[in-house]
Amino acid sequence: MTPSALAVEELAARSEDEVREHLAAGKLVEGLQHMSPDYLRGIRRILTVSADTELISAPAYLRAAQHAPALNNFGSAVSIIQDELAHAHIGYRLLGDLGVDTNELIYEREPAAFKYPYAFDVPLDSWSELVLANALYDQAGFVLLSDVHRSSTFGPWKRALAKVDKEETFHLRHGRTWVKKLCADADDKARLQASLDWMFILTLEWFGLPDDRKKHSEQLDYGFKGKSNDQLRQWWMSEVVPFMEEIGIDVPAHFDAELDRYVIDCPFPAQFDEEKREWLLDDGAIEWDDVVTRWRGRGPMNRDYVTTLQRGYQTTSLRRAA
Ligand SMILES: [Fe+2]
Ligand SMILES: [Fe+2]
């Protein structure tokens, strides 16, 4: 019997009370021996989202990297892609330790079953979109992973994220340096603005449902992360909005001093035309249920990216013997 065929109840035998006592004593969870079924289900869920996000960013960034203005710029992009694959490996390796069949998870899963943010399903088609993704998407990754690094109760992941955090800082700096540089040219700046207009709102969605609609409360209760979705969205805006304002790129959000928080200045959430990569803001805000339906249906690049990643496994002798 493969480990994945074992029920979480067989793999993680501690009671919920025992886990809470362990955590209350200030100890980290180091493996299955410290987990309850709920803890195991929850940590598997958040690790899968994280690893899938890292993995899919590789083909997404590679597509755009091909527009690099010079070979050394292509080299920087490829080193970022290499980091992302290593980050994905950390997540999947930990999932393997938690009884998940990783070949099945990575190479045999249906593309639509991958759990990364919808933003990566929309193609990045130019060098300026790649560096803007470094400034927006890697900033989102940085915010989310710094929170996990600081707050996670799962020791092996917490320790591994020290390295990931430093690499994400490099991706972010790559993005910001390039975005600033492109802003010096009026045509490049106009192109950046046009890309930001769809990418900014997609990144706002990245943080998920607002706190009053969120389902997986164990993520906070069990200390898988420290901040709520809305707090993380605020944190991301507090990094991105001042930077964009400083370089003269318009963003549909601003800091409201009276409310002491960032406020989104356009209908949100909104309907997205994925073929044109445009928000239908004139139609006003929509329900989160409609957003969740779009996320579940996945976007234009989902099948392409996942089959690219799975192709080698499907066609070579690396495939696991039955
Ligand atoms: Fe990463
Ligand atoms: Fe990154």
Side-chain angles (χ1 to χ4, degrees):
M1 185 183 268
T2 60
S4 67
L6 290 171
V8 290
E9 285 76 10
E10 293 172 80
L11 288 165
R14 288 232 172 157
S15 71
E16 304 307 326
D17 283 345
E18 283 173 320
V19 176
R20 285 179 205 285
E21 273 167 38
H22 183 89
L23 295 175
K27 294 180 194 156
L28 294 174
V29 168
E30 293 296 340
L32 289 168
Q33 73 278 16
H34 295 147
M35 294 185 187
S36 62
D38 274 1
Y39 190 100
L40 177 56
R41 268 189 287 266
I43 193 71
R44 277 183 176 181
R45 182 182 301 122
I46 189 170
L47 271 171
T48 304
V49 172
S50 174
D52 285 356
T53 306
E54 303 281 11
L55 184 66
I56 215 71
S57 70
Y61 286 175
L62 185 61
R63 174 190 171 97
Q66 297 175 37
H67 301 281
L71 194 57
N72 64 334
N73 305 135
F74 182 71
S76 308
V78 167
S79 87
I80 290 174
I81 291 163
Q82 191 174 292
D83 289 343
E84 303 300 12
L85 291 171
H87 300 169
H89 180 72
I90 290 170
Y92 292 128
R93 178 68 179 72
L94 291 172
L95 282 162
D97 291 344
L98 299 179
V100 174
D101 180 333
T102 48
N103 275 336
E104 193 180 303
L105 186 72
I106 303 167
Y107 298 114
E108 295 173 16
R109 202 168 14 146
E110 272 300 303
F114 275 70
K115 300 204 184 306
Y116 56 85
Y118 174 86
F120 275 123
D121 276 343
V122 184
L124 300 169
D125 283 336
S126 63
W127 181 252
S128 69
E129 286 183 352
L130 173 63
V131 296
L132 194 55
N134 288 151
L136 300 175
Y137 299 176
D138 286 275
Q139 179 74 69
F142 182 81
V143 160
L144 286 159
L145 292 177
S146 300
D147 180 57
V148 173
H149 183 210
R150 207 174 298 163
S151 312
S152 177
T153 52
F154 184 42
W157 196 20
K158 192 181 181 81
R159 289 186 289 274
L161 285 174
K163 167 187 153 71
V164 175
D165 246 28
K166 289 192 174 61
E167 287 165 352
E168 291 302 344
T169 306
F170 157 58
H171 306 173
L172 190 53
R173 198 176 309 142
H174 180 260
R176 286 191 172 202
T177 306
W178 264 99
V179 166
K180 241 183 202 169
K181 187 169 158 180
L182 292 173
C183 276
D185 178 275
D187 291 342
D188 283 338
K189 190 174 181 179
R191 270 191 287 273
L192 271 178
Q193 181 68 61
S195 302
L196 181 129
D197 289 345
W198 64 266
M199 291 169 74
F200 185 92
I201 302 173
L202 273 186
T203 330
L204 285 175
E205 279 187 358
W206 191 302
F207 299 92
L209 298 179
D211 295 348
D212 55 5
R213 298 282 316 267
K214 187 151 164 45
K215 285 175 298 183
H216 302 307
S217 63
E218 86 283 352
Q219 290 195 2
L220 281 170
D221 295 350
Y222 267 144
F224 297 147
K225 50 190 244 184
K227 294 185 189 296
S228 70
N229 288 359
D230 285 333
Q231 287 171 327
L232 292 164
R233 202 173 351 250
Q234 282 289 322
W235 181 0
W236 178 80
M237 283 191 276
S238 77
E239 301 286 348
V240 168
V241 174
F243 171 74
M244 294 297 169
E245 284 173 346
E246 187 191 315
I247 59 172
I249 298 274
D250 295 332
V251 286
H254 72 279
F255 185 73
D256 185 314
E258 230 164 81
L259 296 172
D260 194 28
R261 63 180 173 87
Y262 282 86
V263 175
I264 299 167
D265 298 325
C266 62
F268 180 77
Q271 197 75 42
F272 184 61
D273 181 331
E274 58 188 21
E275 295 307 322
K276 291 187 184 155
R277 303 191 303 175
E278 261 176 36
W279 292 97
L280 308 179
L281 299 177
D282 292 341
D283 296 354
I286 61 169
E287 296 297 321
W288 277 100
D289 287 346
D290 298 328
V291 180
V292 172
T293 303
R294 163 158 54 79
W295 289 346
R296 292 224 173 102
R298 302 275 22 159
M301 299 310 293
N302 167 250
R303 183 159 290 276
D304 184 296
Y305 289 158
V306 174
T307 51
T308 298
L309 291 162
Q310 293 177 336
R311 191 176 304 126
Y313 176 85
Q314 302 288 357
T315 56
T316 70
S317 59
L318 290 172
R319 189 163 185 170
R320 178 185 47 155

